[in-house]
């Protein structure tokens, strides 16, 4: 699969399959037929019509909305309708930094089709000052088989969801410590480098994600070590091998491929005269 | 003006002011009332209706379309209706790399509202291995007062439009030589780093541009020198001074500010916890 095909694979969804999820007069998500019919049993918290799913407008603030939705989700969870429950509250917000309208359990984020936010780190080992891609290596992790999404898939050395109540950069540093035992003093050298965004229909629902991306140059003698049970193994590969695996296999978690492609663009490993360059770049950052 | 305001200033246009410019069944541009009424006098090359301006579908290939449009533009030029004539043919194409449907004189690109392509170089001088923004400098050029667009404005050390028939990277290297006398061997070290895109109404028409961006680390003792008369002066400023001038003045050419903001993002000088971060990133790359 070409890099462009990897990118467009993350933009596959059919607007006709969803109705807007409306909170306080704002469309903040997209809900499919199946989840809408489950929510229809939970009036007045949810008002389900053919045109929209609306959260009870009488719920006037963050706390009351969050509590009412949590009560419904708890019942759906008991009925086995919210697989992969994490006990992690995620903010419902279209743009990070805006005040969230409510918070919901992480596992329900793609069911409501609300925006998810994450942090991803390109952990690299740079060669002896050469600009050649052959001298550039990237650390890759294999996700534990117990992960609710993408078990056994290849991933970044450190990555995670962005929960409510912690800064983005601080969260990335925390993931570095937990997932790869990167000491804080080293992790603090990471460089924020932008975002990648996509919207696609997946088994877990509609993923409408913004990933904050970071690069960190690791010393040649650093060896990552997982401390939270979420990573089974780490590999240090030449970037050319990472590129081959993305092109030729389905081994990488779908969204990690995008973050790596963004890295290849920023590092000049992809060339603007490549006829797919513009389409790849546009596809890496979906407009709202 | 905040960085976000600089970005959104480049996304200001009203779809109601334009009708599609249709070539071979494809909407490839947007034409305003004034230009449409000029083209209406040139049937059958242009068929102007309230809903669209269509190029004569009997013109079946690149050559015949380009020749027919050139003949009309020549008459409009004689009537003073195409200011800033350059004698530079530009390809009409939505995505760079696709076969162009025709080519048109550069000065008419914003009148037809077809996509324009350009190359911009961030010419930087890196400090003594420090990651601090204070140790990073950027070369800035002041555009000659004779330039048809943005005379006297601040610009990159080298930048230019992307004409038909030359590779993007080769064009950037050529601009380095012409605008700043950067020797080819040095210019060839430039690194492609992505694109910035925007669509906005300007005095010259609708700018719907994709800029290919490059970074080049210049030696501390390098001094640019203009050779084509398009640059009046060069300045080497700390990046913090470049940032201040973008925020506090209107001195930079509108689109150069975007390329610099993209640079600040990629270099980690902008922080993801900045509440405007996501909106700036989305705004730097307009979806088609």
């Amino acid at each position: 699969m070409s890099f462009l095909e990897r990118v467009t694979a993350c933009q596959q969804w059919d607007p006709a399959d969803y109705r807007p999820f409306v909170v306080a007069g704002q469309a903040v998500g997209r809900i499919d037929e199946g989840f809408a019919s489950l929510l229809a049993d939970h009036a007045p918290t949810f008002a389900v019509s053919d045109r929209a799913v609306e959260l009870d407008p009488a719920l006037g603030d963050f706390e009351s909305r969050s509590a009412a939705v949590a009560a419904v989700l708890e019942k759906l969870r008991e009925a086995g309708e919210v697989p992969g429950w994490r006990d992690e509250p995620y903010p419902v917000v279209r743009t990070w930094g805006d005040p969230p309208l409510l918070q919901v359990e992480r596992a329900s984020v793609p069911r409501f089709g609300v925006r998810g936010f994450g942090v991803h780190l390109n952990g690299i080992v740079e060669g002896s000052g050469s600009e050649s891609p052959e001298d550039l290596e990237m650390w890759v992790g294999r996700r534990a088989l117990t992960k609710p999404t993408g078990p056994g898939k290849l991933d970044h050395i450190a990555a995670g969801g962005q929960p409510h109540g912690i800064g983005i950069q601080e969260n990335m540093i925390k993931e570095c410590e937990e997932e790869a035992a990167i000491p804080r003093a080293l992790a603090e050298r990471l460089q924020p480098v932008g975002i990648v965004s996509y919207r696609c229909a997946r088994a877990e629902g509609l993923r409408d994600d913004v990933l904050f991306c970071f690069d960190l140059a690791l010393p040649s003698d650093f060896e990552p070590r997982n401390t939270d049970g979420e990573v089974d193994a780490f590999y240090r590969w030449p970037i050319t091998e990472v590129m081959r695996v993305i092109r030729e296999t389905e081994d990488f978690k779908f969204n990690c491929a995008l973050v790596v492609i963004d890295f290849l663009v920023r590092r000049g490993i992809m060339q603007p005269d490549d006829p797919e360059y513009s389409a790849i770049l546009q596809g890496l950052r979906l407009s709202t």
Side-chain angles (χ1 to χ4, degrees), chain A:
Chain A
M1 212 184 244
S2 73
F3 288 146
L4 180 56
E5 287 168 324
R6 284 280 167 230
V7 171
T8 54
C10 295
Q11 309 291 8
Q12 299 304 311
W13 68 292
D14 184 346
D17 291 343
Y18 304 90
R19 60 196 92 181
F21 176 38
V22 176
V23 178
Q26 298 176 50
V28 295
R30 294 173 178 88
I31 294 180
D32 69 14
E33 181 65 35
F35 196 57
S37 68
L38 292 173
L39 297 176
D41 294 336
H42 296 274
T45 302
F46 293 98
V48 177
S49 75
D50 285 347
R51 293 186 47 209
V53 176
E54 185 170 12
L55 188 65
D56 183 359
L59 300 165
D61 58 23
F62 177 89
E63 283 72 23
S64 62
R65 291 183 201 118
S66 303
V69 171
V72 172
L73 287 177
E74 193 56 50
K75 287 184 191 147
L76 293 177
R77 180 194 187 182
E78 286 162 16
E81 298 289 0
V82 191
W85 193 275
R86 308 266 198 125
D87 269 329
E88 293 179 32
Y90 267 41
V92 173
V93 64
R94 291 304 297 168
T95 300
W96 192 265
D98 286 354
L101 293 164
L102 72 158
Q103 61 184 13
V104 300
E105 152 62 21
R106 176 174 182 174
S108 73
V109 164
R111 304 304 301 279
F112 286 114
V114 296
R115 184 155 283 165
F117 299 88
V119 292
H120 281 243
L121 182 76
N122 298 296
I124 55 168
V125 184
E126 287 171 328
S128 46
S130 147
E131 303 272 312
S132 161
E134 281 76 40
D135 285 347
L136 184 62
E137 294 172 299
M138 183 177 277
W139 279 103
V140 171
R142 186 174 294 282
R143 294 164 69 82
L145 294 172
T146 52
K147 294 280 278 188
T149 56
K153 288 281 189 184
L154 295 175
D155 200 337
H156 284 90
I157 186 174
Q162 176 64 38
H164 190 42
I166 179 172
I168 291 163
Q169 192 141 330
E170 177 59 25
N171 184 38
M172 183 78 262
I173 291 170
K174 188 177 71 70
E175 292 286 354
C176 286
E177 295 181 283
E178 291 173 2
E179 295 208 326
I182 301 174
R184 172 165 284 263
L186 177 53
E188 282 175 345
R189 289 189 215 159
L190 57 74
Q191 182 168 296
V193 291
I195 62 169
V196 157
S197 56
Y198 52 86
R199 188 177 299 138
C200 61
R202 307 272 311 168
E204 65 268 27
L206 186 69
R207 295 286 297 262
D208 184 359
D209 294 347
V210 171
L211 306 183
F212 296 93
C213 307
F214 297 82
D215 290 353
L216 176 60
L218 291 160
S220 177
D221 60 358
F222 174 77
E223 285 275 347
R225 179 175 49 80
N226 181 244
T227 68
D228 64 1
E230 297 195 3
V231 187
D232 273 353
F234 287 107
Y235 313 104
R236 176 173 157 182
W237 286 344
I239 194 72
T240 48
E241 174 65 5
V242 176
M243 293 162 70
R244 187 194 68 76
V245 171
I246 288 174
R247 279 208 191 92
E248 298 179 12
T249 77
E250 296 298 319
D251 292 356
F252 266 96
K253 183 157 166 272
F254 74 107
N255 53 4
C256 298
L258 269 59
V259 176
V260 173
I261 292 168
D262 175 73
F263 174 85
L264 300 174
V265 167
R266 289 184 291 99
R267 290 291 174 126
I269 297 168
M270 289 204 56
Q271 296 289 319
D273 287 299
D274 181 328
E276 297 189 336
Y277 192 79
S278 299
I280 287 171
L281 271 279
Q282 298 282 3
L284 288 173
R285 212 175 292 165
L286 186 71
S287 278
T288 38

